[in-house]
Amino acid sequence: MATAAARETAGSQAYDVPDGAGDTTDTTGYERAFDAAVAADERIEPRDWMPDAYRATLVRQIAQHAHSEIIGMQPEANWITRAPSLRRKAILMAKVQDEAGHGLYLYSAAETLGVSRDELLDKLHSGRQKYSSIFNYPTLTWADVGAIGWLVDGAAITNQVPLCRCSYGPYARAMVRICKEESFHQRQGYELLLALSRGTPEQHAMAQDAVDRWWWPSLMMFGPPDDESQHSAQSMAWKIKRHSNDELRQRFVDICVPQAASLGLTLPDPDLKWNEERGHYDFGPIDWTEFWDVLKGNGPCNEQRLTRRRQAHEEGAWVREAAAAHAAKHSNGETGATRA
Amino acid sequence: MTHTDWPLWEVFVRSRRGLSHTHAGSLHAPDAELALRNARDLYTRRGEGVSIWVVPSSSITASSPDEKDPFFEPAADKPYRHPTFYEIPEGVQHL
């Protein structure tokens, strides 16, 4: 019998994909093994046979996730030079560095599926692959750094915790690492907002304004409603996704309402109220036209974010070339570390 | 746009003395020295390690998932390799 233990591979790289993957020639045995592994809640590992559509879905989702982490560095980096204290500045720099790290974990996971890093970056730069539309909103004040940590990272955590049990091993392992680190992101944001909320009336107003602007875009991060989400059903069947968009969105709202009260801030939704019967908070309708519009590229910062990303990549070209030249020059020497 | 195609490295981290190095993930770097530095920045930002190995991914030889059944079969029919295979009378101690 096929067992989970035998599926483990040494590296995380997809060294090669078995011949015939995706062909019609006798894939039924492979397919049965794949279906059985998913049904038994085992993990699929890079060198296992998997349906082409499963592979394509994962590449699309993991790449989009990686791009989001990298683009997500920009709105917050915008405030590093203007952080109000050395403490806040050090925290913000560490957070932005984490986002870069999260992007790298995820690009590595995507590469195990047989795509190259360059290919993924090209697709981001040319707009052929998307990133989360939340990062196309501007960070207008210092309080936005707090609102992003509390709400945007909070929504991300709600989305990501179930992904730690995703059926694809490398993606699940990257998410475990990311979720551990996100907790600091969310708490620093909450603490920042709390300091402002308890500060002068102007500071309190600034915190409230930031929450007012970030609340609805954060709810949109969970994606379209279940009946309009084109990939959801298949992803749930493959156990890539464990909960529906609407289910996760509701979970997030339920978590945030008491947290907002503790902050001394309000959430900008007049329909928000406890529903005894459902055991959840009811909330108002989401403006999906705005969501689709931002996704299509018409958000306040789409152009700016991509331009900056391409520019950073081009400006780093000489560093990559110099390092490659240096490595080539010294390639006669030893490679690899000394055993320690 | 330039493509440099830095090789892929597998990163192994010893979390503390007395434990083995464990696979942490992978990264791209032009050479071993930069792979080590990148691994430090990527996988030990919170003191997760006291020692790092980096290995070119292309140097790893892995068993094939397709042949796993015959490959591991020799171990499957030897239950006498496990201590629970043996019947020992009730009350015998330290065994």
Side-chain angles (χ1 to χ4, degrees):
Chain A
M1 288 308 297
T3 64
R7 292 179 184 279
E8 205 55 43
T9 60
S12 61
Q13 167 73 314
Y15 299 97
D16 51 61
V17 175
D19 289 340
D23 290 357
T24 48
T25 51
D26 195 32
T27 54
T28 45
Y30 285 125
E31 195 153 12
R32 231 177 291 127
F34 172 86
D35 290 343
V38 170
D41 243 342
E42 290 176 4
R43 298 293 174 261
I44 305 300
E45 294 295 343
R47 305 208 314 156
D48 291 337
W49 183 91
M50 59 189 90
D52 286 348
Y54 177 82
R55 186 184 298 275
T57 297
L58 279 167
V59 168
R60 182 179 50 77
Q61 180 171 338
I62 301 174
Q64 182 171 319
H65 198 158
H67 299 330
S68 302
E69 301 283 356
I70 299 296
I71 295 287
M73 295 167 73
Q74 292 183 38
E76 293 184 279
N78 178 36
W79 282 92
I80 289 177
T81 56
R82 291 170 289 168
S85 69
L86 188 56
R87 177 177 182 270
R88 294 286 178 197
K89 186 173 185 158
I91 290 169
L92 187 54
M93 281 167 58
K95 179 177 191 295
V96 172
Q97 192 191 11
D98 271 356
E99 306 299 358
H102 296 178
L104 293 176
Y105 306 151
L106 289 162
Y107 282 126
S108 288
E111 283 175 273
T112 64
L113 292 159
V115 288
S116 77
R117 183 78 54 101
D118 282 339
E119 197 180 328
L120 295 174
L121 287 176
D122 275 354
K123 284 187 174 159
L124 168 63
H125 296 154
S126 62
R128 278 174 296 156
Q129 279 176 344
K130 304 263 187 244
Y131 54 88
S132 175
S133 51
I134 191 81
F135 301 116
N136 290 319
Y137 291 89
T139 41
L140 301 178
T141 71
W142 169 251
D144 288 34
V145 173
I148 288 180
W150 176 41
L151 295 175
V152 176
D153 290 314
I157 291 171
T158 307
N159 256 328
Q160 289 169 353
V161 166
L163 284 173
C164 296
R165 293 186 297 122
C166 160
S167 61
Y168 188 58
Y171 191 28
R173 291 192 284 275
M175 292 320 308
V176 168
R177 190 173 275 278
I178 288 173
C179 283
K180 273 187 202 159
E181 299 182 351
E182 287 286 356
S183 166
F184 133 60
H185 297 180
Q186 195 188 18
R187 288 174 68 110
Q188 67 83 33
Y190 194 84
E191 190 206 64
L192 194 164
L193 280 179
L194 190 64
L196 289 176
S197 178
R198 291 177 177 174
T200 65
E202 289 81 3
Q203 287 171 330
H204 182 90
M206 187 197 273
Q208 184 61 60
D209 169 65
V211 169
D212 288 347
R213 281 181 291 108
W214 288 94
W215 174 248
W216 290 106
S218 299
L219 292 193
M220 294 177 199
M221 283 176 70
F222 295 94
D226 294 345
D227 47 9
E228 290 169 36
S229 179
Q230 50 171 333
H231 304 296
S232 276
Q234 181 61 73
S235 287
M236 301 262 288
W238 278 329
K239 297 188 182 171
I240 294 173
K241 260 178 98 121
R242 297 282 183 163
H243 306 281
S244 78
N245 294 353
D246 287 332
E247 199 181 335
L248 291 168
R249 187 166 14 245
Q250 180 71 62
R251 185 180 296 180
F252 178 67
V253 170
D254 291 346
I255 288 170
C256 285
V257 174
Q259 288 180 346
S262 297
L263 279 174
L265 298 173
T266 58
L267 297 170
D269 180 356
D271 297 327
L272 199 60
K273 60 173 180 297
W274 179 251
N275 182 326
E276 192 65 52
E277 204 176 307
R278 292 201 307 127
H280 292 290
Y281 284 93
D282 289 337
F283 54 98
I286 293 173
D287 180 3
W288 291 109
T289 45
E290 175 183 320
F291 174 79
W292 293 115
D293 204 38
V294 175
L295 201 68
K296 265 184 277 173
N298 303 321
C301 301
N302 294 55
E303 189 56 39
Q304 182 188 336
R305 299 291 185 238
L306 265 187
T307 303
R308 179 73 196 104
R309 177 84 269 286
R310 288 192 208 105
Q311 185 192 5
H313 191 69
E314 282 158 21
E315 287 174 357
W318 72 270
V319 179
R320 294 192 294 278
E321 283 161 17
H326 181 266
K329 195 172 159 188
H330 296 272
S331 62
N332 295 332
E334 292 290 304
T335 55
T338 318
R339 266 185 90 93
Chain B
M1 217 161 279
T2 53
H3 289 207
T4 40
D5 277 341
W6 286 352
L8 190 67
W9 302 76
E10 300 300 327
V11 178
F12 298 81
V13 175
R14 184 202 295 286
S15 55
R16 58 185 167 83
R17 301 178 71 85
L19 296 180
S20 307
H21 287 75
T22 306
H23 187 239
S26 56
L27 51 76
H28 288 273
D31 58 26
E33 191 188 339
L34 278 170
L36 267 184
R37 283 173 181 272
N38 291 355
R40 177 202 57 190
D41 291 345
L42 191 54
Y43 292 108
T44 63
R45 285 197 299 285
R46 289 175 174 77
E48 293 95 332
V50 295
S51 167
I52 299 174
W53 290 345
V54 289
V55 181
S57 303
S58 57
S59 298
I60 292 178
T61 307
S63 61
S64 157
D66 285 349
E67 293 163 12
K68 63 182 185 303
D69 290 341
F71 192 73
F72 293 106
E73 200 178 23
D77 60 352
K78 297 178 181 61
Y80 45 83
R81 281 181 168 153
H82 298 278
T84 47
F85 179 77
Y86 301 94
E87 283 182 31
I88 303 294
E90 199 76 22
V92 178
Q93 304 218 327
H94 307 299
L95 194 70

